[in-house]
């Protein structure tokens, strides 16, 4: 499934997805218990949210006896990539350079973060070069 076609999640649904991604497979009760550590929430509310997420294509489930175990359809990395694309397009006019400039100006980076980002850029450029060479063959 292409994540571009997925309906967006509410804040509460995004919070549930974080739990699902972290644990891999969860029941409604497990999600409710996790959320209940931070605020009061009814099991029926969690069930409704997860049912809607299932309908939107974010979750799938399997049954074991009478229990439903939910897992993610879309990997977290794919979902985050789409969110970053949307952020760059909406807040920075499609400019990744402006995003990085804002990050550096308003948050800053540790030396370790900067080193990892440089390594990611280098790896991305190498991958792009390899892809271009393969395309010419």
């Amino acid at each position: 499934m292409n994540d571009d076609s997925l309906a967006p999640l509410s804040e509460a649904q995004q919070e549930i997805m974080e739990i699902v991604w972290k644990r891999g497979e969860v029941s409604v009760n497990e999600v409710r218990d996790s959320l209940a550590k931070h605020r009061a929430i009814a099991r029926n509310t969690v069930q409704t949210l997860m049912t809607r997420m299932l309908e939107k294509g974010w979750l799938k489930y399997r049954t074991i006896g009478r229990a439903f175990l939910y897992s993610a359809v879309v990997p977290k990395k794919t979902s985050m990539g789409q969110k970053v694309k949307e952020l760059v397009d909406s807040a920075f006019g499609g400019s990744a350079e402006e995003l990085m400039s804002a990050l550096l100006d308003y948050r800053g980076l540790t030396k370790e973060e900067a080193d990892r980002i440089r390594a990611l850029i280098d790896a991305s450029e190498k991958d792009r070069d390899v892809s271009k060479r393969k395309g010419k063959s």
Side-chain angles (χ1 to χ4, degrees), residues 82-96:
Q82 181 60 29
K83 288 188 184 325
V84 168
K85 181 182 180 310
E86 291 168 8
L87 175 67
V88 170
D89 290 347
S90 65
F92 299 98
S95 172

Side-chain angles (χ1 to χ4, degrees), residues 7-130:
L9 298 175
S10 69
E11 190 174 323
Q13 290 171 332
Q14 183 66 42
E15 193 174 5
I16 290 171
M17 281 306 301
E18 292 296 332
I19 295 166
V20 173
W21 283 321
K22 183 177 181 181
R23 296 191 180 178
E25 190 173 61
V26 293
S27 68
V28 171
N29 285 333
E30 289 171 322
V31 172
R32 194 213 58 84
D33 291 347
S34 182
L35 294 173
K37 293 176 185 173
H38 308 289
R39 67 176 181 287
I41 189 164
R43 183 195 185 285
N44 287 346
T45 301
V46 174
Q47 177 69 58
T48 299
L49 288 166
M50 292 178 74
T51 298
R52 289 186 181 143
M53 294 165 69
L54 187 70
E55 292 166 355
K56 288 180 177 183
W58 284 91
L59 294 177
K60 62 184 177 183
Y61 71 91
R62 67 185 180 106
T63 56
I64 297 182
R66 294 178 50 198
F68 287 74
L69 296 176
Y70 294 85
S71 59
V73 172
V74 179
K76 183 175 184 176
K77 186 173 182 174
T78 302
S79 176
M80 294 300 106
Q82 181 60 29
K83 288 188 184 325
V84 168
K85 181 182 180 310
E86 291 168 8
L87 175 67
V88 170
D89 290 347
S90 65
F92 299 98
S95 172
E97 182 179 348
E98 285 189 32
L99 168 69
M100 289 305 299
S101 179
L103 176 64
L104 293 169
D105 290 346
Y106 298 104
R107 183 189 174 271
L109 297 173
T110 65
K111 180 182 179 340
E112 292 78 16
E113 288 172 325
D115 289 344
R116 286 192 300 270
I117 290 170
R118 281 187 195 97
L120 290 169
I121 291 169
D122 290 345
S124 176
E125 288 174 345
K126 286 178 187 173
D127 288 346
R128 196 170 33 246
D129 290 345
V130 168

